[in-house]
Amino acid sequence: MDERERTKDVILAVILVISTLVMVIRLWQDWIVAVSTGLMMISLAGLILSLGRRLESFEKAVSTREMTMRMNFEEISKSIDEKCDRMVGDVEATVSSLSRRVYR
């Protein structure tokens, strides 16, 4: 998540808190309810921002694991190719040896 997206999330969280305070003050005109609702919205906005950061770190971890798995897959693929080539060579040598024996 780049800096623009983080700034956008913080601004949206501030708008969430302010709009909640305005709505509560307008409807009930009780400061205790308004402040407690505002604090609740602040904690909700913080929770949402925290969740966004955790998702970002999870995405980074997944991409790192994916890259590691790709590298391991390539190494295993090369190893299997080498073993198959050796096995084909051994089989060809055995077949040619057997065919020479048969023709004698």
Side-chain angles (χ1 to χ4, degrees):
M1 193 182 283
D2 63 348
E3 202 60 37
R4 281 181 81 186
E5 290 179 13
R6 285 186 182 154
T7 305
K8 183 176 111 178
D9 289 345
V10 170
I11 289 172
L12 289 174
V14 169
I15 291 172
L16 173 71
V17 171
I18 290 173
S19 64
T20 303
L21 283 174
V22 169
M23 180 185 72
V24 169
I25 290 171
R26 179 81 173 150
L27 292 177
W28 291 318
Q29 296 178 356
D30 185 5
W31 284 99
I32 295 174
V33 173
V35 170
S36 65
T37 306
L39 291 174
M40 183 175 64
M41 285 300 113
I42 288 173
S43 65
L44 179 64
L47 179 66
I48 291 170
L49 292 174
S50 173
L51 183 63
R53 288 189 185 123
R54 284 186 185 181
L55 284 175
E56 178 184 346
S57 67
F58 179 71
E59 288 174 356
K60 286 180 183 177
V62 166
S63 67
T64 302
R65 285 186 181 173
E66 179 184 5
M67 186 174 62
T68 303
M69 289 175 68
R70 281 186 184 165
M71 290 182 352
N72 288 340
F73 178 72
E74 288 175 4
E75 290 175 11
I76 290 171
S77 178
K78 287 178 185 177
S79 174
I80 289 174
D81 286 343
E82 290 172 1
K83 287 180 181 180
C84 286
D85 289 341
R86 274 189 265 135
M87 188 184 309
V88 166
D90 291 344
V91 168
E92 287 176 354
T94 304
V95 167
S96 67
S97 170
L98 288 174
S99 65
R100 276 187 263 145
R101 287 183 189 172
V102 168
Y103 288 121
R104 285 186 185 178

